[in-house]
Amino acid sequence: MLTSEFRLFRFTLMGLSIALSAAISSPAKAFDINAGVTKESGPFDLFKFGFKAYKSGQKEEAIEAYKYAAEKGHTGSRWALANMYADGDGVAQDDFEAFKIYSEIAQQGVEPGSEDTGFFINALLSLANYYKHGIPGSPVRTDLSQARQLYFQVASTFGVAEAQFQLAQMMLSGDGGTRSPQQAKKWLNQARKSGHPGAMSVFGNILFQEGQSARGLALMTAALDRCKPKDCGWMESLQEQAFSVATEGDRRTAVSLSHKIATGRD
């Protein structure tokens, strides 16, 4: 049940996958003694085997290897397993099982500068998403306060734009706590400086409503150049509504400013 924005966030960890792809060029074999890897192997060897198997489409073998590595405390394997359960990727979809594994990663914590930091951040964001929506048929109920706290932790400690955007949205609506438009603007501004299109669009709309018509419209326009096609609909609606009521002068200024914003010069 993970939403698209959280799946997209996983791409921040793709550097690990790329590095492993370069280091592991041989095809995956069945998970047996002939592969040189058994359940008694070290956690990283099991993780590497699981990664090879997954890339080769042998997802049952990948799951088995990840499970053994996870039992030995390997964070990356726990993360990979949780993602597969969340997406129903090679295994029956089970959001509650994914939730439990993400919770293990979160409870484990992370040392400053650890190579597991990306997994930890992703686990916190995934948990926030589950708390925001709940998991039907499980003990996990909607808990907006908990979701907001997790977004705040990731936004403030790690400066992740997606968390800043989600936190700002909750502050604007008063979900999970008091309504705080000024704090929301702060988080939106930080996220949009990192190039987050959703934050750029919402922040621009707020500026437009506050009377900064040209700049607000420029940000909403620039957001359309950055958004993924499936996420562009609501941003386009905001931009078109503002464009329809803006003056001709503000429209021209906005178009000029949007080019600077889109290229990172503003």
Side-chain angles (χ1 to χ4, degrees):
M1 195 198 65
L2 293 183
T3 54
S4 60
E5 61 264 28
F6 294 98
R7 290 194 177 96
L8 288 172
F9 181 77
R10 292 176 188 158
F11 285 108
T12 62
L13 300 179
M14 284 303 292
L16 173 64
S17 298
I18 294 170
L20 281 173
S21 294
I24 307 169
S25 57
S26 60
K29 300 177 181 178
F31 190 67
D32 57 30
I33 192 65
N34 296 322
V37 177
T38 70
K39 63 181 181 180
E40 284 80 25
S41 297
F44 189 64
D45 287 335
L46 287 163
F47 176 60
K48 288 192 296 182
F49 178 90
F51 182 85
K52 280 197 302 180
Y54 182 88
K55 296 294 285 186
S56 299
Q58 297 173 299
K59 295 182 180 180
E60 289 184 4
E61 287 81 1
I63 290 168
E64 186 178 8
Y66 286 149
K67 282 182 176 179
Y68 284 126
E71 289 173 0
K72 297 173 187 285
H74 191 267
T75 304
S77 294
R78 285 177 174 166
W79 171 81
L81 264 180
N83 290 347
M84 293 178 79
Y85 278 115
D87 295 338
D89 185 10
V91 66
Q93 185 178 10
D94 190 334
D95 284 305
F96 184 50
E97 186 64 27
F99 173 88
K100 290 188 290 185
I101 300 173
Y102 287 131
S103 295
E104 290 175 359
I105 297 172
Q107 291 167 7
Q108 175 182 311
V110 66
E111 294 292 331
S114 168
E115 62 184 12
D116 290 338
T117 298
F119 302 127
F120 178 70
I121 292 171
N122 180 260
L124 293 181
L125 281 174
S126 299
L127 289 172
N129 185 55
Y130 279 131
Y131 279 120
K132 187 175 181 180
H133 300 284
I135 302 176
S138 85
V140 181
R141 300 290 182 259
T142 298
D143 188 338
L144 296 180
S145 176
Q146 182 67 11
R148 183 162 165 168
Q149 289 178 34
L150 287 167
Y151 285 135
F152 179 80
Q153 180 181 351
V154 178
S156 58
T157 304
F158 301 101
V160 175
E162 176 61 27
Q164 293 169 344
F165 173 64
Q166 294 294 336
L167 175 62
Q169 292 281 71
M170 297 190 81
M171 287 181 165
L172 283 173
S173 60
D175 288 338
T178 58
R179 188 171 180 274
S180 182
Q182 289 306 311
Q183 284 296 307
K185 280 179 64 178
K186 183 192 79 170
W187 290 116
L188 286 169
N189 194 33
Q190 289 192 31
R192 72 93 185 167
K193 287 180 178 178
S194 298
H196 192 289
M200 197 175 291
S201 182
V202 175
F203 186 67
N205 185 55
I206 291 174
L207 294 185
F208 188 88
Q209 299 298 328
E210 290 178 344
Q212 299 184 54
S213 302
R215 180 159 182 77
L217 183 56
L219 284 163
M220 286 185 275
T221 303
L224 296 179
D225 292 329
R226 291 174 176 264
C227 62
K228 302 290 184 182
K230 59 183 176 51
D231 299 323
C232 286
W234 66 268
M235 300 183 206
E236 188 172 2
S237 295
L238 281 182
Q239 194 268 355
E240 289 178 348
Q241 183 178 4
F243 193 84
S244 68
V245 299
T247 66
E248 186 62 31
D250 283 341
R251 291 175 183 174
R252 291 198 189 96
T253 302
V255 170
S256 177
L257 280 175
S258 69
H259 293 314
K260 294 180 180 180
I261 294 169
T263 55
R265 290 181 290 156
D266 185 280

